[in-house]
C-alpha cells in the first residue's frame, strides 16, 4: 500500500504558510496503520532495544505499537508540566519563542539501547532536544524512526550521525 496516499495535507494549518500533514486519515485505516508500524519497526527487529521513546503526542501512537513489536518498554517525552514524578527538562528554540520537553529521570538507565519515534521530522528542534535528554540519562540512541520527513527543512542536520529511518519524504510544502 502507498502510505503517502493516506496522509491528508491541510494548507495553512495551524497558521498561514504551514502545510499540516494530518495522519488521522492513515490511523483510521487498519491496514495502513498496521503497515506503517511494521515498516517503521523493520530495521530494528534484530536489534536489542530496551526502550522506545515516543514524543508527545503523535509519537505515542506509533511508539507504543512499535514497543510491543520490538519487545521494548515505552517511555513518553512530554510537554512541560505533564509528567508527575522527578523529571529532566530541555528547552529548544522555535521560530518564535521556545518550547520545553521533559522525561522522567527513572525512565532510562545508563547504557540502555534507545529508539526514538515521532510522526514527523520538521526542523529537528524537538528531536535534537530529545537526544540531549536521553544522553543526560546515559542512554545509547541506536536510531530514529519517523513516519514523515519534511526534507526541505533539513532537520536531520541537527541529529548528528544517528541512523534515521523514514517512510515518507516531502521535498516541498
Ligand atoms: P520540529 O521540532 O520542527 O522537527 O517539529 C516536529 C514536531 O512538530 C513533530 O512532533 C510534529 O508532529 C510536529 N509538526 C511540525 N511540522 C508539522 C507539519 N507540517 N505537519 C504536522 N506536524 C508537524
Amino acid at each position: 500500500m502507498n502510505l503517502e496516499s493516506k496522509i491528508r495535507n491541510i494548507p495553512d494549518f495551524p497558521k498561514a504558510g504551514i502545510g499540516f500533514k494530518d495522519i488521522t486519515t492513515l490511523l483510521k485505516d487498519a491496514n495502513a496503520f498496521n503497515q506503517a508500524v511494521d515498516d517503521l519497526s523493520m530495521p530494528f527487529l534484530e536489534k536489542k532495544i530496551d526502550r522506545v521513546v515516543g514524543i508527545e503526542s503523535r509519537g505515542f501512537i506509533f511508539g507504543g505499537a512499535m514497543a510491543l513489536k520490538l519487545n521494548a518498554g515505552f517511555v513518553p517525552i512530554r510537554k512541560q508540566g505533564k509528567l508527575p514524578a522527578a523529571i529532566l527538562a530541555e528547552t529548544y528554540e522555535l521560530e518564535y519563542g521556545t518550547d520545553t520537553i521533559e522525561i522522567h529521570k527513572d525512565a532510562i538507565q545508563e547504557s540502555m539501547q534507545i529508539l526514538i519515534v515521532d510522526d514527523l521530522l520538521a526542523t529537528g528542534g524537538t528531536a535534537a532536544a530529545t537526544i540531549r535528554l536521553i544522553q543526560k540519562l546515559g542512554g545509547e540512541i541506536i536510531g530514529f524512526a519517523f513516519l514523515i520527513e519534511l526534507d526541505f527543512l533539513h532537520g536531520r542536520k541537527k541529529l548528528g550521525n544517528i541512523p534515521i529511518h523514514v517512510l515518507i519524504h516531502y521535498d516541498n510544502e
Side-chain angles (χ1 to χ4, degrees):
M1 183 191 311
N2 175 10
L3 292 179
E4 185 175 342
S5 70
K6 298 288 171 182
I7 308 282
R8 174 162 59 189
N9 194 54
I10 311 281
D12 299 317
F13 183 90
K15 55 183 185 184
I18 306 282
F20 190 85
K21 302 295 179 264
D22 177 16
I23 61 161
T24 64
T25 38
L26 181 150
L27 295 173
K28 73 179 180 184
D29 179 321
N31 290 331
F33 185 22
N34 225 295
Q35 188 184 320
V37 171
D38 276 353
D39 292 355
L40 281 168
S41 305
M42 189 101 72
F44 307 103
L45 289 173
E46 303 301 316
K47 310 241 187 235
K48 177 190 159 290
I49 293 169
D50 297 300
R51 301 279 192 268
V52 172
V53 169
I55 303 176
E56 183 170 358
S57 56
R58 279 159 279 160
F60 296 172
I61 302 168
F62 295 103
M66 289 169 67
L68 294 180
K69 227 181 168 48
L70 297 170
N71 291 312
F74 177 79
V75 170
I77 295 264
R78 297 213 63 181
K79 307 274 165 64
Q80 192 165 34
K82 304 280 189 188
L83 289 171
I87 53 113
L88 283 184
E90 271 289 331
T91 296
Y92 57 98
E93 304 290 323
L94 299 172
E95 200 179 344
Y96 303 103
T98 62
D99 220 339
T100 299
I101 54 171
E102 298 177 342
I103 192 169
H104 273 148
K105 277 186 182 166
D106 64 359
I108 290 169
Q109 276 92 54
E110 194 77 30
S111 304
M112 279 190 167
Q113 306 253 85
I114 310 296
L115 172 63
I116 304 172
V117 177
D118 202 358
D119 66 326
L120 186 144
L121 175 63
T123 67
T126 317
T130 300
I131 295 177
R132 296 198 293 276
L133 283 177
I134 292 168
Q135 288 179 341
K136 278 185 185 167
L137 293 174
E140 282 177 26
I141 303 165
I142 60 130
F144 277 99
F146 297 101
L147 180 69
I148 300 166
E149 178 175 5
L150 303 183
D151 295 358
F152 53 93
L153 294 176
H154 308 294
R156 61 170 58 227
K157 285 188 184 160
K158 294 203 180 93
L159 309 186
N161 49 20
I162 299 168
I164 305 171
H165 179 49
V166 173
L167 301 187
I168 302 167
H169 292 270
Y170 290 89
D171 52 20
N172 56 54
E173 297 272 322

